[in-house]
């Protein structure tokens, strides 16, 4: 409803846009498509079919040679004479010879029938057919002559193993596919069967009856239930009964495996008798149908407009298939079928196997340029085809084809309503309603058009007999939607996408129907997002002009419609004035006004922030102003710049850590930290969240029972014992210090009060203060003398008071505070010792750490050095803007991880990848933080990766190459 109380009907969403007349009847081509990505209705997209070149014969499936790709991107295929395997290395342009019958092989059969035990074998003339690479990195090649298989260990290298086939068992491999469990399936086209192998390349057999233990054997079920009478056992001999029959098929030409072990079979019925131009896809599990056979006859009916005299253009006859599983949904994905003409590949979405139409052709055009005819291969989440002994990824080409025009009714109208009272219509609520205007959020490309017709009546049953009235062509509004401060999510070119408007000319009556005709050039289509029909018309003629202007019917109708244009302009302005509160809400204000609203509170929004972050900051501006310059405010400001997706939780949770607000268990531990230096005056920074400050002043705070009332003697004795434990003998101490003490109990060997001049003495003295003395003792240097004098002046005010407290008289008394020197050793006892301990444990730590703080920025193990430096720079800039003027700071990066010499496992512990599982990246990875291989195949079950010598690699005869992945 607008400011004039004019209401509107809204058409939005698939249910309201797609009436029954939009959906095609079974076998008919649909007229419209619903695009769920942008919630639009458009003309039906057709599939582009590459025209068959005149005189070009279809590909012969018999000449197809199989190919496969390993995990490293290397390609293998059978040579043109079928006696050689060729190899194309990753990133290479020229293929190489990989292996042929002249290179020799090893037999896997010995008199005891064991598998893969090498024995010398004379080199026969191999005829190869079918090839695949298993997930365990074995290259398996089928042999027609002599019957059997060749198995190459691509990881261990060495010569292949030959697996002969029994002479009395028919076997003619044609196509192979690797299974997800490391095995494979082999299609025997000639004998209409397929074989399944496990990861150890043993044929999967049927259940074989074995003697049951009857519960008396060594192994029994835990729950006490009886053992089954039949157990799965692998047969030791290959028999014809182990093959899975495909006798019901006419010509099975391709096989592809699914993750659950089931397979797709492509069957090509004979094109001669009777003539058939289509293939059939079967979904089988152990030879049993998982889904109904899917006939590709007329599969393109809904995507291709075939002429009546050539209906076969909607059929699909395949040459080869490849399957890409959906990683997010089990037993789903896309099946790709290479057309028999070798010009394009058809993509079919795999759906519910319980449905008759479990395959749906997608309107995506995948051309193949000069297809070599070897095969199409699914690898690395893509489909590849061969071209001049090189392999190219299948790429969709933008060759959009659409229905040229189509029409439908609104609201959801059926062409044959059950009764006149059931006719769907927009209801104007009052007889004689004058329908006002129609607005459409849509895209109309150049050459496309949306034509709108209307009919209205005061009774529903009269609508079907009312004539259709053409309405003006909608025009694109230059000021956007008519709804105040509303921005349509439908985006595109500004001269083609937006809100289109028309003013109804003759639509008068309580009930209204609309007929929309969409037309395009065949290469484009209008796209409709939302439609609004306003009613009744707010008439300036009736509301503001004298009745004399309504005397003449023709002129008053024109004037009413003329003034409606003015009314539309003013209504939008009045609506924005009425809804001005939208401009003061950070969540509803249009994005272009965010900086304007921020100016009301003197806030400058960072141009690098996303729109959601700018709205977040604006909504919490009062809180940020209250906390500016505080520790919590600085942490929030820095996190706004570093967090990828900040949200309200940043302002709802306290940003303090568990060490100073333990009740906030929900606070994220591994986050930005601000450690104020004054906190570390008596304890190391690690206690306050700084993992880089493990050993600091007072790291053993609280472990000492000494007090100044005991005098300095116990501290001197503790220092002597520390040195004796450190050096062992007094001569070692004298040698290191350059002194001449007689013993560790020498009366002159006392604890220095200030930092010694010798570097060795200084290091020993500082270690003693940090780890042994048991309380905070800041190392004092000679430049701290003025600070000590000022402390005493504040403590005593007059020098006479100090002399009296220290018991100084005569020449020993100080004349002023300026002549007081730093003591060389600890005062013996009394007030002077007490003042000195207070100075080094309280006064000096406060002064050195006052008005300073450290910003700690977390980095992840995956962050590269550039990312780390960028984070540090952002934190540096924001902290400089947010800090109080009298403070100083530094920014450090930290890892909440294990460190050599300490182990802190807690909420801030981050576990990253070991260097054993991270590949080195030139110019990015630190030395010793990765290894030189791209991918280590640790998932291969029968391999050893450290100190390995493949136990299965035979010492074979022959002088063939040693195939190995490098």
């Amino acid at each position: 409803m607008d400011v004039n109380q004019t209401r509107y009907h809204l058409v939005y969403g698939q249910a309201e846009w797609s009436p029954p007349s939009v959906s095609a009847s079974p076998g008919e081509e649909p007229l419209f498509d619903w695009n769920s990505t942008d919630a639009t209705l458009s003309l039906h997209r057709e599939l582009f079919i590459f025209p068959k070149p005149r005189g070009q014969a279809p590909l012969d499936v018999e000449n197809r040679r199989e190919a496969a790709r390993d995990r490293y991107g290397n390609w293998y295929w059978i040579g043109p004479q079928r006696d050689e395997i060729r190899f194309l290395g990753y990133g290479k342009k020229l293929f190489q010879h990989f292996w042929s019958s002249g290179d020799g092989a090893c037999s896997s059969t010995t008199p005891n029938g064991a598998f893969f035990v090498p024995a010398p074998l004379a080199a026969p003339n191999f005829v190869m057919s079918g090839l695949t690479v298993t997930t365990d990195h074995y290259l398996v090649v089928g042999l027609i002559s002599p019957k059997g298989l060749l198995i190459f260990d691509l990881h261990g290298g060495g010569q292949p193993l030959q697996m002969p086939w029994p002479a009395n068992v028919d076997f003619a491999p044609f196509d192979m596919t690797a299974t997800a469990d490391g095995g494979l399936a082999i299609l025997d086209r000639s004998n209409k069967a397929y074989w399944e192998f496990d990861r150890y390349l043993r044929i999967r057999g049927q259940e074989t009856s074995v003697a049951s233990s009857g519960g008396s054997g060594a192994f029994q079920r835990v729950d006490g239930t009886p053992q089954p009478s039949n157990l799965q056992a692998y047969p030791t001999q290959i028999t014809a009964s182990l093959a899975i029959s495909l006798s019901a098929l006419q010509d099975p030409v391709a096989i592809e495996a699914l993750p659950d072990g089931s397979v797709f079979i492509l069957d090509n019925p004979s094109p001669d008798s009777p003539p058939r131009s289509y293939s059939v896809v079967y979904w089988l599990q152990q030879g049993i149908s998982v889904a109904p056979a899917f006939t590709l006859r007329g599969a393109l009916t809904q995507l291709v407009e075939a002429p009546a005299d050539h209906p076969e253009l909607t059929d699909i006859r395949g040459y080869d298939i490849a399957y890409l599983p959906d990683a997010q949904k089990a037993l789903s994905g896309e099946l790709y079928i290479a057309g028999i003409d070798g010009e394009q590949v058809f993509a079919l979405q795999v759906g519910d196997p319980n449905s008759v139409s479990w395959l749906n052709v997608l309107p995506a055009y995948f051309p193949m340029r000069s297809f070599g005819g070897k095969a199409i291969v699914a690898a690395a989440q893509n489909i590849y085809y061969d071209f001049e002994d090189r392999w190219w990824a299948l790429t969709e080409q933008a060759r959009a084809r659409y229905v040229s025009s189509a029409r439908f009714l609104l609201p959801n109208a059926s062409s044959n309503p059950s009764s006149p009272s059931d006719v769907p219509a927009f209801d104007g609520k009052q007889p004689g309603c004058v329908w006002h205007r129609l607005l459409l959020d849509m895209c109309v490309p150049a050459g496309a058009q949306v034509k709108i017709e209307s009919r209205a009546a005061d009774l529903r049953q009269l609508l079907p007999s009312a004539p259709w009235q053409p309405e003006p062509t909608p025009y694109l509004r230059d000021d956007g939607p008519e709804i105040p401060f509303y921005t349509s999510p439908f985006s595109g070119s500004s001269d083609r996408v937006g809100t289109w408007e028309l003013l109804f000319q003759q639509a008068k009556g309580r009930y209204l129907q609309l007929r929309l005709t969409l037309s395009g050039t065949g290469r484009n289509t209008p796209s409709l997002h939302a439609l609004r029909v306003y009613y009744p018309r707010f008439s300036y003629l009736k509301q503001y002009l004298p009745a004399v202007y309504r005397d003449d019917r023709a002129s008053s109708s024109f004037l009413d419609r003329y003034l409606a244009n003015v009314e539309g302009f003013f209504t939008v302005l009045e609506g924005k004035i009425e809804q001005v509160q939208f401009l003061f809400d950070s969540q509803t204000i249009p994005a272009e006004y965010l900086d304007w609203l921020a100016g009301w509170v003197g806030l400058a929004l960072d141009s690098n922030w996303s729109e959601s972050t700018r709205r977040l900051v604006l909504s919490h501006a009062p809180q940020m102003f209250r906390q500016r310059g505080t520790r919590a405010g600085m942490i929030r400001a820095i996190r706004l710049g570093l967090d990828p997706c900040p949200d309200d939780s940043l302002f709802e949770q306290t940003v303090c850590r568990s060490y100073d607000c333990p009740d906030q268990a929900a606070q994220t531990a591994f986050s930005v930290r601000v450690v104020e230096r004054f906190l570390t005056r008596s304890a190391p920074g690690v206690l306050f969240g700084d993992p880089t400050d493990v050993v600091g002043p007072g790291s053993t705070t609280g472990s000492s029972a000494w007090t100044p009332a005991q005098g300095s003697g116990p501290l001197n004795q503790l220092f002597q014992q520390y040195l004796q434990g450190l050096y062992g003998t007094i001569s070692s101490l004298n040698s290191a210090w350059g002194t001449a003490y007689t013993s560790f109990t020498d009366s002159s060997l006392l604890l220095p009060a200030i930092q010694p001049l010798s570097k060795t003495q200084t290091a020993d003295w500082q270690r003693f203060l940090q780890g042994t003395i048991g309380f905070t003792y800041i190392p004092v240097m000679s430049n701290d003398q003025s600070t000590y004098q000022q402390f005493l002046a504040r403590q005593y005010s007059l020098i006479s008071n100090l002399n009296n407290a220290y018991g100084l008289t005569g020449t020993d008394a100080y004349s002023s505070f300026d002549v007081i020197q730093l003591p060389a050793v600890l005062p013996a006892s009394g007030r002077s010792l007490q003042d000195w301990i207070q100075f080094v444990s309280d006064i000096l730590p406060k002064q050195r750490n006052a008005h300073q703080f450290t910003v700690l920025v977390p980095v992840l193990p995956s962050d590269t050095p550039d990312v780390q430096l960028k984070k540090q720079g952002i934190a540096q800039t924001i902290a400089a803007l947010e800090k109080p003027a009298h403070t100083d700071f530094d920014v450090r990066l930290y890892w909440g991880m294990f460190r050599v010499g300490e182990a802190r496992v807690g909420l801030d512990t981050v576990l990253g990848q070991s260097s054993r599982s991270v590949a080195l990246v030139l110019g990015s990875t630190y030395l010793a933080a990765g290894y030189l291989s791209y991918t280590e195949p640790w998932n291969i079950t029968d391999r050893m990766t450290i100190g390995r010598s493949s136990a299965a690699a035979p010492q074979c005869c022959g002088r063939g190459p040693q195939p190995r992945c490098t």
Side-chain angles (χ1 to χ4, degrees), residues 891-953:
V891 178
R892 301 178 189 172
L893 303 174
Y894 80 93
W895 297 258
M897 302 175 67
F898 299 109
R899 287 159 47 107
V900 176
E902 63 179 276
R904 296 184 300 103
V905 183
L907 294 178
D908 58 351
T909 300
V910 176
L911 299 180
Q913 286 184 310
S914 165
S915 62
R916 292 194 174 195
S917 58
V918 179
L920 286 175
V921 178
L922 186 62
S924 175
T925 310
Y926 285 113
L927 189 63
Y931 72 102
L932 290 176
S933 178
Y934 177 73
T935 301
E936 188 67 30
W938 289 345
N939 61 328
I940 297 179
T941 57
D942 58 348
R943 308 302 207 280
M944 291 163 43
T945 58
I946 299 177
R948 176 185 58 77
S949 176
S950 178

Side-chain angles (χ1 to χ4, degrees), residues 339-351:
I340 197 69
D341 295 327
E343 299 294 345
Q344 78 181 88
V345 173
F346 301 96
L348 293 83
Q349 182 69 44
V350 179

Side-chain angles (χ1 to χ4, degrees), residues 47 121 128 132 145-147 214 220 283 314 317 370 417 428 453 467 477 558 603 635 678 716 761 850 871 877 900 956:
L47 176 63
L121 180 72
M128 305 175 187
T132 192
S145 175
K147 293 187 298 184
Q220 300 183 22
W283 189 349
T314 62
R317 186 169 181 84
S370 300
E453 300 170 282
R477 293 170 56 94
F558 170 78
L603 181 65
I635 290 177
F678 80 92
N716 291 327
Q761 292 185 40
K871 288 184 176 181
T877 302
V900 176
C956 295

Side-chain angles (χ1 to χ4, degrees), residues 16-92:
E16 297 180 359
W17 272 121
S18 302
S21 60
V22 172
S23 303
S25 302
E28 294 183 0
E29 183 180 0
L31 301 176
F32 298 93
D33 289 336
W34 176 257
N35 309 305
S36 57
T37 54
D38 54 4
T40 59
L41 184 76
S42 60
L43 291 171
H44 174 64
R45 181 180 176 183
E46 297 181 323
L47 176 63
F48 175 78
I49 301 296
F50 191 88
K52 178 182 177 181
R54 181 175 298 178
Q56 176 176 302
L59 297 174
D60 187 354
V61 178
E62 186 66 31
N63 296 328
R64 196 180 75 207
R65 290 173 287 145
E66 293 305 314
R69 183 180 187 265
D70 66 18
R71 67 179 68 226
Y72 299 101
N74 304 312
W75 287 94
Y76 309 85
W77 68 92
I78 297 173
Q81 305 303 319
R82 296 189 178 273
D83 60 351
E84 175 192 18
I85 302 173
R86 293 182 175 180
F87 166 82
L88 181 66
Y90 177 74
K92 302 298 183 180

Side-chain angles (χ1 to χ4, degrees), residues 133-147:
V133 175
T134 69
T135 57
D136 283 346
H137 218 44
Y138 288 105
L139 171 64
V140 182
V141 182
L143 295 178
I144 295 178
S145 175
K147 293 187 298 184

